[in-house]
Amino acid sequence: MNQPTPVPIDPKQLPELALNVIATDHFPDLATIDGDQPRVRPVSPVKTDHFTVYVANLKMYHKTQEIAANPKVELCYVDSHHDQVRISGVAEVVTERPLLQEIWDGNPLLRQYLGSIDNPALIIYRIVPKQVRFMREWALEYHEVPLD
């Protein structure tokens, strides 16, 4: 079976290619560690700033304990062409009130479901990227995307 030949990628285009994949996949998968067991689930980011991604969570969800025990996470985005972006990073709890307010104001579903920005069940994670990789479908080779 012949493998398709990947289209060459200009390294200067990597940030744009990666951001395009992120923009089209509204439900990336989030990987966490539960003891010695990886856990993966789709999430719906509430804000994206370049490669920094914000994810809402309820404190009662199991991923809260997983992230508290090991904040290293990975997001995997896949577009309709099966191009991938993987963001490996560290999840931290957002505490800045202006940022929380901005996220709250921009997300009607949060407002409808939780009623108040001060709902004690709400937690927002900021996933700070440490590594971003891009791969074209079938290329079987990741390209490092510069973070700056």
Side-chain angles (χ1 to χ4, degrees):
M1 175 187 229
N2 293 342
Q3 291 182 348
T5 304
V7 176
I9 297 174
D10 178 351
K12 291 180 256 172
Q13 291 182 317
L14 283 168
E16 179 183 352
L17 291 169
L19 289 169
N20 286 339
V21 172
I22 290 169
T24 62
D25 185 359
H26 301 289
F27 297 99
D29 291 313
L30 174 70
T32 59
I33 297 293
D34 181 12
D36 65 351
Q37 178 64 51
R39 302 286 180 202
V40 178
R41 81 269 292 152
V43 293
S44 179
V46 293
K47 177 180 171 59
T48 303
D49 181 11
H50 203 61
F51 296 114
T52 301
V53 180
Y54 298 82
V55 176
N57 186 42
L58 295 180
K59 289 182 182 175
M60 68 183 135
Y61 288 171
H62 200 267
K63 70 177 166 279
T64 305
Q65 290 81 34
E66 294 164 13
I67 291 171
N70 183 348
K72 293 179 181 177
V73 298
E74 184 169 86
L75 285 164
C76 179
Y77 290 82
V78 180
D79 71 8
S80 63
H81 304 289
H82 301 130
D83 291 348
Q84 294 181 29
V85 171
R86 293 183 175 266
I87 300 174
S88 300
V90 175
E92 57 186 38
V93 177
V94 174
T95 59
E96 304 92 337
R97 185 64 181 213
L99 180 55
L100 289 168
Q101 190 68 55
E102 174 191 335
I103 291 169
W104 181 261
D105 292 344
N107 289 274
L109 190 57
L110 282 180
R111 294 192 310 271
Q112 179 181 353
Y113 188 69
L114 295 171
S116 166
I117 192 172
D118 296 314
N119 186 322
L122 176 63
I123 187 168
I124 304 285
Y125 290 110
R126 173 182 19 244
I127 299 172
V128 179
K130 301 298 180 191
Q131 179 186 46
V132 177
R133 297 176 294 153
F134 172 84
M135 182 175 71
R136 288 226 189 261
E137 178 188 31
W138 300 110
L140 305 178
E141 177 186 3
Y142 283 101
H143 299 273
E144 292 289 324
V145 179
L147 291 174
D148 34 13

